[in-house]
Amino acid sequence: MSLERLLASIPEGSDDAALARQIQPDRVPQHVAIIMDGNGRWAEQRRLPRVEGHRAGIQSVREVVETSARLGLGVLTLYAFSIENWKRPAAEVSVLMTLLRRYLRSELDTLIEHGIRFNVIGREGGLPAEVLDELREAEARTAGHRGLQFNIALNYGGRAEIGDAVKAALEARLAPESIDEEQFSRLRYTAGQPDPDLLIRTSGEMRVSNFLLWQIAYAEIYVTGTLWPDFRRRHLLEAILAYQQRDRRYGGIAPAVAGTTLCT
C-alpha cells in the first residue's frame, strides 16, 4: 500500500505523519503539476543573491519527488524553466543550467532506487549540449521504470506546445476532420499521460504562467504563500488533502444543487 510506504519514511508522531494519515489512498490525484515560484524572493528576504534561492530550491525538488513516489502518484510535473526565462540575466540562466546538471548527477541513483521514470517536456533547441547529454542519460537509464513518471518542464511554454502540436499535425498531413481532442492530445509533449488533476503554485501568485495550458483545463488549482525553497513534504500533503475535499464536476451540476444551479 502506497500510504504505508510514505508513513514508513516519516517519524512516528510527527505533524507530517498526522497529515499523511488523513490522506484517502483511493482519492490520490493521478497527476500533480507544480509551478515552483519564489526562489528569488526567498533569497532577497535573506539578502542573498537570487541564485542562492535556486540552490535552496533543490532540496524542495528532492523532497517532493520522493514523497510523490512513496505516495503512489502516477505523474509529477515540475515547471523548471520556461521559454520566457531566457530573458533573465545570462549569469542566472547559467547557474540554473548548472544546478539542473548537478541535480541529475546527484539524484539519478535515487530516481533509479525508487523506480522513477524521468522525462523532459519542452523544446530541446537552445539548451546547452552538456545539459542535453545529462537529460538524455537520465531518460535512458530510467526508461524502463514503472513507478512515478517525473516530468521536468524545461525550455517549456504552453502556447509553444500547442503551436508545436499544430505543426506536427500539418507535417503528418492529418485530415482536418480527423483532428478532435483525443487526436490533438496525442501530439502534445505529455502524450499518453493523464492530464493534471491538481495544479499547485507556490509563492502566492494567482496565475498559471503559460504552463500546461491545454492539460489543466479541469485541474483543481491550489495556491500557497509558501516560497518554493521552503516547500516541503507537509505542504504537498496539505495540497493533496485540500484537493480531496473538493467536488470535481467537470462542468456538470453539483449533486446538492442539481436542477437549480449551473456549475462550470
Side-chain angles (χ1 to χ4, degrees):
M1 180 178 178
S2 298
L3 190 54
E4 291 176 352
R5 285 183 59 203
L6 177 61
L7 286 168
S9 69
I10 303 175
E12 185 63 35
S14 66
D15 291 342
D16 284 13
L19 284 170
R21 292 187 185 282
Q22 297 177 53
I23 298 287
Q24 302 172 53
D26 60 338
R27 295 193 62 206
V28 170
Q30 292 186 66
H31 185 168
V32 173
I34 305 180
I35 300 174
M36 306 180 292
D37 194 22
N39 292 341
R41 269 170 285 174
W42 185 93
E44 289 166 5
Q45 288 174 3
R46 291 158 178 77
R47 298 183 179 179
L48 298 170
R50 283 178 56 87
V51 295
E52 295 305 318
H54 299 307
R55 287 195 176 95
I58 293 295
Q59 177 58 35
S60 303
V61 172
R62 180 180 297 116
E63 190 156 328
V64 166
V65 170
E66 292 185 15
T67 299
S68 298
R70 290 187 173 112
L71 188 54
L73 298 189
V75 184
L76 172 70
T77 302
L78 301 184
Y79 202 6
F81 191 86
S82 73
I83 288 176
E84 292 79 14
N85 286 158
W86 292 112
K87 300 173 185 177
R88 294 185 178 185
E92 183 177 349
V93 171
S94 178
V95 168
L96 284 167
M97 294 299 164
T98 299
L99 289 173
L100 175 61
R101 293 177 65 199
R102 287 179 181 172
Y103 170 81
L104 291 173
R105 288 177 181 177
S106 64
E107 298 300 312
L108 184 53
D109 286 344
T110 300
L111 299 182
I112 293 171
E113 176 188 348
H114 288 279
I116 297 169
R117 182 181 178 187
F118 178 78
N119 182 54
V120 181
I121 61 172
R123 290 178 170 174
E124 291 189 356
L127 291 174
E130 59 272 18
V131 172
L132 282 173
D133 289 342
E134 298 278 357
L135 296 172
R136 287 167 179 163
E137 180 182 357
E139 287 181 324
R141 291 186 61 187
T142 63
H145 292 174
R146 294 294 179 264
L148 174 73
Q149 170 88 42
F150 171 31
N151 297 323
I152 282 188
L154 188 65
N155 197 22
Y156 176 87
R159 289 181 174 178
E161 179 181 20
I162 293 170
D164 287 348
V166 172
K167 290 177 184 177
L170 293 173
E171 290 170 358
R173 298 184 178 181
L174 297 177
E177 60 272 16
S178 73
I179 304 176
D180 54 15
E181 289 188 17
E182 183 177 351
Q183 175 66 49
F184 194 77
S185 292
R186 297 193 189 103
L187 304 172
R188 302 171 309 171
Y189 301 155
T190 57
Q193 301 178 23
D195 289 339
D197 301 296
L198 174 62
L199 172 67
I200 300 171
R201 178 158 192 150
T202 61
S203 87
E205 298 294 343
M206 304 291 286
R207 55 180 179 269
V208 297
S209 296
N210 197 21
F211 184 44
L212 299 176
L213 297 181
W214 177 277
Q215 293 90 332
I216 63 171
Y218 286 103
E220 295 295 324
I221 299 176
Y222 178 90
V223 177
T224 173
T226 302
L227 303 178
W228 178 249
D230 293 325
F231 195 90
R232 291 293 183 271
R233 174 174 54 207
R234 69 179 179 87
H235 299 102
L236 178 61
L237 296 177
E238 288 170 351
I240 291 174
L241 284 169
Y243 163 84
Q244 292 186 339
Q245 292 169 4
R246 299 185 187 181
D247 176 23
R248 304 188 73 197
R249 297 188 294 272
Y250 300 96
I253 303 296
V257 292
T260 59
T261 304
L262 179 62
C263 303
T264 59

